[in-house]
Amino acid sequence: MAAAEPSVAALAGGGVGAGVPSGSVPVLFCFSVFARPASVPHGAGYDVLIQKFLSLYGDQLDMHRKFVVQLFAEEWGQYVDLPKGFAVSERCKLRLVPLQIQLTTLGNLTPPSTVFFCCDMQERFRPAIKYFGDIISVGQRLLQGARILGIPVIITEQYPKGLGSTVQEIDLTGVKLVLPKTKFSMVLPEVEAALAEIPGVRSVVLFGVETHVCIQQTALELVGRGIEVHIVADATSSRSMMDRMFALERLARTGIIVTTSEAVLLQLVADKDHPKFKEIQNLIKASAPESGLLSKV
């Protein structure tokens, strides 16, 4: 593609259209046979546009596929791949195009390409979250495994001023980041910057609370960025078992891998001759609590 960015096709006259918030730009988001008008902040880049596509068409997207965003260029009279560094500055027309080759999610985990995300395991949630004691126990087991295998760990705390800090049972030794947040998803600018500093990250192992809110939104946002997500079912829960189980089912249908703590740890060592196998084996000698997963919804 030429270095110069192609001009944007105007869909209407200049200026912000009726009903568009001040400081926003109207954009027509197209996918398949659909075309839906929306608005984004002036200067919005690729990540914001992807999130808007997900909000408009998420239920219709096959997350096993890779996509390309294209911009209608008036000078060519057709769509072109979104220029590098593109930021919305005027009305434009975008489309999301699935690549023809469908990619199979294999679910392989290796320590050099994996990061652990521990979400909002805080004191004020203790009396409200179903099987919270079991979730803490399994979460601590996963963090011990991460330390043994040298896997980076990122921890968030939802509004800690009101909801308290991470529970004392969770050992924060060696954790890469502990971040406060108000956003439900863990995908904060600081988290994205931390991921960018870790070469070759392909997979996130995700656990914590609540399954149907922060876990679900984090997982969907990570998948939208091309990261494979493994949700540890026995280390995540909600206030309601109904919300928990339906969220896990929805996420599995989206192509996200729903797994267990023991499966994750043994997949990461992969071989009994792995130098850390004995230490991991000691962690899982006692089976993890089933945390209500085998009970009726």
Side-chain angles (χ1 to χ4, degrees):
M1 185 181 298
E5 296 185 357
S7 60
V8 179
L11 300 181
V16 177
V20 176
S22 176
S24 297
V25 182
V27 176
L28 188 65
F29 289 86
C30 305
F31 173 70
S32 184
V33 298
F34 306 102
R36 297 175 182 171
S39 61
V40 297
H42 186 278
Y46 178 83
D47 287 346
V48 172
L49 297 174
I50 284 292
Q51 289 308 306
K52 181 62 75 171
F53 271 114
L54 286 172
S55 70
L56 293 171
Y57 298 110
D59 292 341
Q60 301 170 56
L61 299 179
D62 180 355
M63 293 302 182
H64 287 168
R65 288 196 171 194
K66 294 289 187 180
F67 293 86
V68 62
V69 178
Q70 294 186 325
L71 168 74
F72 189 83
E74 187 176 14
E75 66 183 277
W76 299 110
Q78 65 179 24
Y79 285 95
V80 297
D81 291 348
L82 199 68
K84 186 176 181 181
F86 175 81
V88 175
S89 60
E90 59 181 315
R91 288 172 180 254
C92 60
K93 181 178 178 182
L94 301 172
R95 72 175 179 183
L96 190 66
V97 182
L99 299 182
Q100 293 302 309
I101 300 174
Q102 187 162 339
L103 303 177
T104 302
T105 299
L106 298 176
N108 292 326
L109 284 173
T110 61
S113 63
T114 300
V115 178
F116 279 19
F117 276 26
C118 176
C119 183
D120 305 350
M121 301 278 275
Q122 291 159 257
E123 192 59 45
R124 286 287 293 276
F125 290 127
R126 191 185 295 270
I129 300 296
K130 296 290 187 184
Y131 300 95
F132 193 63
D134 289 351
I135 299 304
I136 292 172
S137 173
V138 178
Q140 177 61 2
R141 180 181 295 206
L142 287 164
L143 294 181
Q144 287 178 276
R147 281 193 293 274
I148 291 168
L149 298 171
I151 294 171
V153 175
I154 294 173
I155 291 179
T156 56
E157 297 173 341
Q158 180 72 18
Y159 185 55
K161 183 178 178 180
L163 297 173
S165 300
T166 301
V167 296
Q168 291 184 353
E169 296 96 317
I170 297 291
D171 185 356
L172 302 182
T173 303
V175 167
K176 184 176 182 66
L177 283 177
V178 179
L179 292 170
K181 67 181 178 71
T182 56
K183 179 182 177 182
F184 294 140
S185 169
M186 290 181 68
V187 185
L188 308 171
E190 299 93 333
V191 171
E192 293 189 272
L195 290 176
E197 293 173 358
I198 305 170
V201 171
R202 188 180 68 241
S203 306
V204 164
V205 172
L206 175 61
F207 55 97
V209 299
E210 289 187 65
T211 313
H212 67 296
V213 187
C214 297
I215 295 294
Q216 179 169 272
Q217 292 185 30
T218 300
L220 294 174
E221 201 163 348
L222 287 170
V223 167
R225 285 160 166 72
I227 295 176
E228 184 179 84
V229 179
H230 298 243
I231 293 178
V232 187
D234 53 333
T236 180
S237 190
S238 299
R239 289 168 294 154
S240 154
M241 284 296 288
M242 179 181 70
D243 284 329
R244 179 190 188 191
M245 302 308 287
F246 275 97
L248 291 175
E249 182 180 350
R250 178 201 172 181
L251 290 163
R253 287 180 177 177
T254 312
I256 289 162
I257 297 160
V258 179
T259 185
T260 65
S261 56
E262 184 168 322
V264 164
L265 292 171
L266 289 176
Q267 191 171 11
L268 285 165
V269 292
D271 191 320
K272 84 169 192 64
D273 291 332
H274 189 287
K276 301 292 185 179
F277 171 73
K278 288 291 185 183
E279 293 177 73
I280 296 297
Q281 185 182 44
N282 288 335
L283 286 181
I284 61 173
K285 273 185 178 177
S287 296
E290 54 94 3
S291 67
L293 289 171
L294 302 183
S295 62
K296 293 182 180 179
V297 177

